[in-house]
Amino acid sequence: LRHRPAAMSLPESVAARLAAEAVPRALIGAAALAAAGVSRSTHDLDLLVTDLRVLDEAFWAPLRGAGIVIDVRRHEDNGGTP
């Protein structure tokens, strides 16, 4: 039998990409609440980054090439208050 390493989860894939480029990040939103023990239903993962390189489509090419959908939004694109 051959042992194949388990595929990375979506959060692990995104974290690995950000780490590979030394991009500081913070988990926010419902996933952060869940990590703190507060249950809230969600289907997305919200990360806060301040490195503008992540806004470049080419930054995410390795993940998109693997079939992962990346939806990058600036704060002002979400109708948020600066």
Side-chain angles (χ1 to χ4, degrees):
L1 291 174
R2 284 178 136 166
H3 174 61
R4 287 183 30 194
M8 273 198 256
S9 69
L10 175 59
E12 289 170 326
S13 296
V14 171
R17 178 71 188 124
L18 294 170
E21 297 295 329
V23 174
R25 65 247 173 232
L27 182 64
I28 62 173
L33 290 171
V38 178
S39 178
R40 192 170 147 212
S41 178
T42 186
H43 295 287
D44 63 356
L45 179 65
D46 300 315
L47 293 171
L48 172 67
V49 296
T50 57
D51 189 324
L52 296 179
R53 293 178 297 159
V54 303
L55 297 175
D56 184 351
E57 293 292 323
F59 183 91
W60 299 105
L63 294 183
R64 287 193 171 115
I68 296 173
V69 176
I70 303 291
D71 181 18
V72 177
R73 299 181 189 177
R74 290 174 160 266
H75 176 69
E76 57 268 17
D77 292 343
N78 291 327
T81 304

